[in-house]
Structures are given as C-alpha cells and as structure tokens.
Amino acid sequence: MLSIVFATSNPNKTREVKEMLPEGFAIKSLQEIGCTEEVPETSPTIEGNAIQKAHYVRDNYGVDCFAEDTGLEVTALDGDPGVYSARYAGPQRDATDNMDLLLKNLADKSDRSARFKTVIAFTLNGQTHTFTGIVNGTIATKKTGKDGFGYDPIFLPENHKISFAEMDKKQKNEISHRGRAMAKFLAFLDQLPD
C-alpha cells in the first residue's frame, strides 16, 4: 500500500480526498509525521500556496508529500475571494461568515458566474508536480443543502440546478474541482514505477 502525506490540517479536505482514493493508497496526516504547527500559505496565488505547503513539509520533515489549495474565483468581484477564500470574512475562517459576505458583495451584481479552482502540488525525489482542477458555475442567491463544506451551499456547478451541498458525496466528487485535480494526480501516481 502506498502511504502519502497530505499537507493539510483541514479535516473536511482530508475526508473528501480519502473518499476519492482507490484501494492501495492511504493518507498520512501531518500529525502522524509530528507536524503540529500551522503550515504557511502566504503566496499570492492558489498554485503558489499549494507548492509552498508541500515544500514546507518536505524541507522541514524530510518526507515527500502532496498539498492542495483551493479558491473560489467570482467574475464580478475580479476573481475574489480567490486565494483568500478561507479568510474572506476574517481570520476566524468561518464558512457562514464567508458566504454571507460574498452574497452581500454580489447583491447588486447581475453576473454571478464563478469558478472553483484546486491545485495539488506533489513533491517527489526533489521535483514538484502540479495538477489543476477547475469547475465553472454560478453563485446562488441563497444557501441550499446540508452536505459539503466551505462555499458548497451557494455554488451551483455548470449544467446543474443544485448546489454542491445538495449533492451526495459521489456526485460531487465526480465533477468537483478537487475531484478533477485528484483524478490527474492519481493518474500520475499510477504511472510511477513500483
């Protein structure tokens, strides 16, 4: 079984990624390698943050790992909240506060198009590989659904009339930004020599 360190302290992301993994793969947490501090993410880009986190773990703990960063980019807000998606309404990183602020900022906008973007960065033998997943959609006018996390209750993926939070896990994982990035990452892992 291939065991890979996932450089995140977000239990929702860990759970979602574990659900996408086929047999033969296992996720190791940061806590399992002794990393209890907050991994820095100070890059101005989503890709930069993913790379920064993966490099931090590799450089400080001596293990290859993968990290991901995700952002919601809203067209009418010039791509905001983007890299600041988790902290959009403040350092408390509260999903409800973030959604409420986003809906308020879009209240007078006719263009509600947006996209979710995930970048996975994987360090292996001194090299860094990145895998990007994007899903286009629109921001709803109100929250719907009870599943998912983050902005899921207000994001309607393209060609769907329900939010990510209204979808079952399997349906969301098949079309989501994270699911698309993970599919590319897993395809890369499949090509690696044993």
Side-chain angles (χ1 to χ4, degrees):
M1 179 172 290
L2 179 59
S3 184
I4 314 171
V5 175
F6 183 19
T8 186
S9 54
N10 184 324
N12 291 312
K13 289 182 179 182
T14 302
R15 177 183 41 76
E16 199 164 87
V17 164
K18 280 182 175 177
E19 290 164 359
M20 295 177 201
L21 287 177
E23 283 186 30
F25 291 93
I27 294 285
K28 258 188 171 173
S29 69
L30 288 176
Q31 290 75 18
E32 288 177 84
I33 62 165
C35 178
T36 54
E37 70 272 25
E38 189 154 333
V39 176
E41 37 184 330
T42 56
S43 170
T45 66
I46 292 167
E47 182 178 61
N49 271 341
I51 292 169
Q52 181 183 19
K53 290 187 277 189
H55 284 189
Y56 179 88
V57 171
R58 180 198 63 199
D59 296 345
N60 290 278
Y61 291 89
V63 294
D64 286 326
C65 72
F66 75 99
E68 69 93 40
D69 199 43
T70 294
L72 176 63
E73 300 173 333
V74 181
T75 307
L77 302 178
D78 298 322
D80 282 346
V83 75
Y84 301 106
S85 292
R87 305 178 297 278
Y88 189 48
Q92 72 277 17
R93 296 176 178 235
D94 183 83
T96 299
D97 292 349
N98 290 337
M99 286 187 285
D100 289 347
L101 179 59
L102 184 62
L103 291 174
K104 179 182 166 198
N105 289 342
L106 280 178
D108 63 343
K109 310 283 191 217
S110 56
D111 181 359
R112 299 183 77 87
S113 62
R115 70 179 195 166
F116 259 126
K117 178 180 180 181
T118 291
V119 178
I120 292 173
F122 177 49
T123 60
L124 180 68
N125 302 326
Q127 292 189 305
T128 303
H129 308 271
T130 59
F131 311 90
T132 302
I134 292 172
V135 62
N136 294 308
T138 55
I139 302 300
T141 54
K142 63 181 183 184
K143 300 171 208 159
T144 56
K146 305 240 182 288
D147 290 325
F149 62 97
Y151 294 90
D152 286 356
I154 60 171
F155 185 79
L156 306 174
E158 200 169 45
N159 302 319
H160 290 79
K161 295 191 183 332
I162 59 173
S163 73
F164 270 157
E166 293 175 281
M167 295 180 176
D168 64 43
K169 292 172 189 173
K170 184 175 186 298
Q171 186 181 13
K172 179 191 172 189
N173 289 343
E174 283 174 357
I175 65 166
S176 77
H177 45 294
R178 189 168 292 111
R180 290 173 179 181
M182 278 297 294
K184 293 176 183 177
F185 176 42
L186 292 171
F188 174 82
L189 292 178
D190 278 343
Q191 303 301 313
L192 293 176
D194 290 335

